[in-house]
Amino acid sequence: MSSEYKAGRLSVNIFGESHGPAIGVVIDGLPAGEKLELDKIKQFMARRAPKKDGTSTRRSEPDEPEILSGVLDGVTEGSPLCAVIKNTDQRSEDYKSVSHLARPGHSDYTGYIRYNGSNDLRGGGHFSGRLTAPLCFAGAVASQLLAHRGITTAAHILSIKNIYDVPFDPINVTAEQLEQVKSRYLPLIDTDKDAPMRELVLKASASLDSVGGVVEYCALGMPAGFGDPMFDGLENRIASAVFGVPAVKGLDFGAGFSCTEMYGSENNDEFYINNGKILTRTNRHGGILGGISSGMPILLRAAVKPTPSVSRPQRTVDYTAMTEEELVIKGRHDPCIVPRAVPCIEAAANIALLSCFC
Amino acid sequence: MSSEYKAGRLSVNIFGESHGPAIGVVIDGLPAGEKLELDKIKQFMARRAPKKDGTSTRRSEPDEPEILSGVLDGVTEGSPLCAVIKNTDQRSEDYKSVSHLARPGHSDYTGYIRYNGSNDLRGGGHFSGRLTAPLCFAGAVASQLLAHRGITTAAHILSIKNIYDVPFDPINVTAEQLEQVKSRYLPLIDTDKDAPMRELVLKASASLDSVGGVVEYCALGMPAGFGDPMFDGLENRIASAVFGVPAVKGLDFGAGFSCTEMYGSENNDEFYINNGKILTRTNRHGGILGGISSGMPILLRAAVKPTPSVSRPQRTVDYTAMTEEELVIKGRHDPCIVPRAVPCIEAAANIALLSCFC
Amino acid sequence: MSSEYKAGRLSVNIFGESHGPAIGVVIDGLPAGEKLELDKIKQFMARRAPKKDGTSTRRSEPDEPEILSGVLDGVTEGSPLCAVIKNTDQRSEDYKSVSHLARPGHSDYTGYIRYNGSNDLRGGGHFSGRLTAPLCFAGAVASQLLAHRGITTAAHILSIKNIYDVPFDPINVTAEQLEQVKSRYLPLIDTDKDAPMRELVLKASASLDSVGGVVEYCALGMPAGFGDPMFDGLENRIASAVFGVPAVKGLDFGAGFSCTEMYGSENNDEFYINNGKILTRTNRHGGILGGISSGMPILLRAAVKPTPSVSRPQRTVDYTAMTEEELVIKGRHDPCIVPRAVPCIEAAANIALLSCFC
Amino acid sequence: MSSEYKAGRLSVNIFGESHGPAIGVVIDGLPAGEKLELDKIKQFMARRAPKKDGTSTRRSEPDEPEILSGVLDGVTEGSPLCAVIKNTDQRSEDYKSVSHLARPGHSDYTGYIRYNGSNDLRGGGHFSGRLTAPLCFAGAVASQLLAHRGITTAAHILSIKNIYDVPFDPINVTAEQLEQVKSRYLPLIDTDKDAPMRELVLKASASLDSVGGVVEYCALGMPAGFGDPMFDGLENRIASAVFGVPAVKGLDFGAGFSCTEMYGSENNDEFYINNGKILTRTNRHGGILGGISSGMPILLRAAVKPTPSVSRPQRTVDYTAMTEEELVIKGRHDPCIVPRAVPCIEAAANIALLSCFC
């Protein structure tokens, strides 16, 4: 596999299987001398933990990261930072029945072909959403290093199925708003959407189904002039990281897909000067022009597909016996992965931005 | 900059400036012994040439690629393939007036900050859309090597502004259809959309404005089992390449953003067996599961923003004088870049797929 | 830092500090389905353990590697393999006196400048020779995967100071000889050199001094046709890995430096055919021509400098106080690192060779 | 192949075949705003040109580099710099007789296996020493960028066969001495060695043979604190580049192989303070400790094998017919490549050092 994200001098290597002894990450290329607060890392990771209200899986692990290297007295040393998270709640038996039936929407079949049947199938193995825990660890580290440079980042639920939160204000979004949305149980700007979204998820769950949605990310304070076009520009770097989050099937920046229905005169962002600083009056470009940051808020959206593990019976194949079968997925699954995907996508984008400073 | 695309053992290095002596590309990591037909390369590149019907720029260059290395008697040698395209029609004077006024929607200002004012501003310099000519060269090479492996690829205009072509049939699309759409003057499936799209573009042009759209890409025949998740999966590789095409602001795979409004039971693609082959009955996953090809057609969409060079006066800043100014862009610009973006996005995706075989 | 070795699709990421909680390695890009025997890995690592006869440090750790991921039922899964080794015998107090006095021949001063004083100085931190334990783990894994492909590798002490073992026979060396030399307490071909070498080391130790030497490596069975010149050829790949072993200051292949005193007619290796196989009658080229394996035994030598930690008083500087001082290094040090460097250099070269098959 | 050197953000991509239309290089990742003098580049490249005194090949090409991109008004733009050198003196007929006879000491056979017979065999194709012309171009660019940072570099002939020049003074070498040695017809410190070396080469040539030697390189003014151990340290980076120069079979730093016969107390370099700067009284470490520059002169030696193209008859094989044959190499060959290897090795090392600043 290639579970390494590499951009600039930064590399993030994620390892582990859902039902192996441990999962973790090695982050190399971090600048030395950066203060890291473990509490904040844990807070970040806690945002990925299953919700206790029925909208998430009931699998529950403390996910306590243990830092093995690279940090001394709470400060980065410049050497590779390794953090390990033990797997403690591995109910392998739940997965026994899955065996070689390809779960629709999952990588069982493609992984089997790719790895000649040697990959760990228990709980998705290395493909498991569980691997986003070390990703969040790395994203939390990135978040702190970005903060040292005056950059605040956050993501929120832009939509679950057809219920939409309001988007970040592309011009006037503030660091306080970003911090606030991260502190909420469901990361929403318009908290009136909390109840209907929750209801929607529970209803889907009750009908043995699942729903997806869109996550929006914002980075505030990114200075102008970062990114290396054509193929190492900010969009490329971020895309490369964000498409590493399982279930992400789409990504756009600024006005994104909606700009394709605008006129150029509408989509262009007028430059002006404010207090000696060059700004744009609108921000359809999402803070990135030609692959390089413009100094405006960086804005992107990621499409998260509905959880493929649905409890209703599905038709599928046994890819070893080459027979068609009916599959009933048991086990503990998220009827909606979107709330937990929020910190994961934030983590991925944070890492991409951090790479500009490594 | 980092105008190198690298995945697997393949690297594609694009060089040149719009108004320098030449532009070109070095492709390294190609397998040895692959037949290359120069005629087909030129046909591919011709699809990127400006249309003569008023919907494109009137800048016109023969764009004759000269192969300097890596090919002997029409066969790849395994050594780096360099191709160079001379710049012949450089009317620098058109661009003189642009000077240090930041063209909205362009990378003038961000490039200036990134390269401390040393980058070539004439015609966008290295940021110019002209650099997609060597990209198309590389994509055309990739196209032939993919064809040797039974893979056919094509892209078409899915939309210009709010006029939509029909999408590729995600299940039943054929190689013939892919070849056919590439042969059309405007790459459309539903040719009835040709006239209204053309009219829309000319109207935008007449009102000194521009329009964007969506390009859809399909690869047929990609075998199951290619891609290296988490960060070198097919989606990451393709994204990394496609976001290198100027003006691309969004990308999604399979059902993409629209899957966020589906139930899991709708979005999941049922596996079945046909003639001893595992297939899916629907193809919301766009041929990629867990970052690995499934054997189904690979499908993606890229959002292309409206050409930022519009002829109407725009407010902007002089980023050296730090003054606010009015800008009138002269020169020869495409009122709609979408038709010419089609082969570019196809090229980028082809290169990403080829990397799986290098 | 960049403690990642990357060649082809293989990456080896080493992490940890001498006096931190643990050291370890993540190996990504391994083929799936390869049987790994933990016992053989431990045997390999045991060759790096301190000798109990006074020629090595008296620091002693069990160095039990724990595999956290990537291996299921003794078979590689294709996902990243992480192995961790706990640090158990960390007598930090021994190192307290070193503080900011630059130990001559060590990286204390250069590391301080590079990492702004944030790197862990205890026991050399990430620069410690201890980090070769995870390197040996990775090299042992590589050794087994190479064996699956018919390749046997070994290294031996070619010299300690001015006492020389006989070199490998560049033509007739056998797999049995390679296995035998690895099984010896001191890895020597001519065991008559065991006693005088040992005596030399003890004498150096008694006079509070240290000695270095040369390690020779051989790989037998490497098929012709591997390596990617110019910059990813076998010599580049091996050099890149071997110079990652602390204390290595020189490397040559085949006749190496001695070929500079030969005539071309002497140095050229005549090709001939034996049983339908192309071989050379001599092997000055060390199995590599133009960066590509020739099918002949691969042979290289690495120069290992005398342990810089000598117990006699040395003049040096305090690089924070900027004063000149006398330094007396205490603690447990190897008077000769060469015997323990043998498996480390073997590991590094093994990893480089394995990258050709990933 | 992989004719790309990559370290830090710098990449150097060399392309071309000896008898193709042109050879060249793309350098990406250069900082913007660096003044480049083409005259100095040509002077550097001229040092690689064949000597006119019988000690070199009589093939002679102007080797005029044409810069296609990346430089505007003599200043780097930050975009990829492509330079092309046309091949003008390609007497392919000289090589016709070589056909599929493996020239001993050459990569004909290994290249044939690696590239399935598709690589260009004329004049060595991409393996030709001619490819060091674009390498020298890149090294000359690096030389100027290093000079902007106060770093002076040079290489000289340390030996041809058994005739030795004096080495650089590892402590007191001056920038003037480095410039002087580069200006000499044969790059020697002790010019009394000029005549005997020349005589030795002519004698070898007369007896249809060839000789090799050692090249020594020095970089003066490299500040302390550059290099990324373990695998991207200065020694790794330099080795990775220098082993890309054809015919290099060995490399050592500082005291190198000779330190293996010293005691630790002899090999350690005592630190002291001079005018507020930390220096070492000796420089066995060659300016690199733990992979990081110490601020002392960087010193290395590369072993260059005798030219494998000797004119006397040699026994070899036809690797397609699988027969044993006699080979007589005709054509124009250097009886000693060492003088021309000097700027090539200097170029490779320069590029590696420059990567620390990109």
Side-chain angles (χ1 to χ4, degrees), chain B residues 49-61 185 198:
Chain B
K51 310 291 173 193
K52 305 295 186 191
D53 59 358
T55 63
S56 298
T57 172
R58 286 179 307 278
R59 174 172 175 169
S60 156
E61 315 213 28
Y185 188 74
R198 218 180 279 258

Side-chain angles (χ1 to χ4, degrees), chain A residues 324, chain B residues 272-279:
Chain A
E324 299 190 356
Chain B
Y272 74 108
I273 295 175
N274 188 339
N275 283 325
K277 240 190 114 181
I278 293 178
L279 301 172

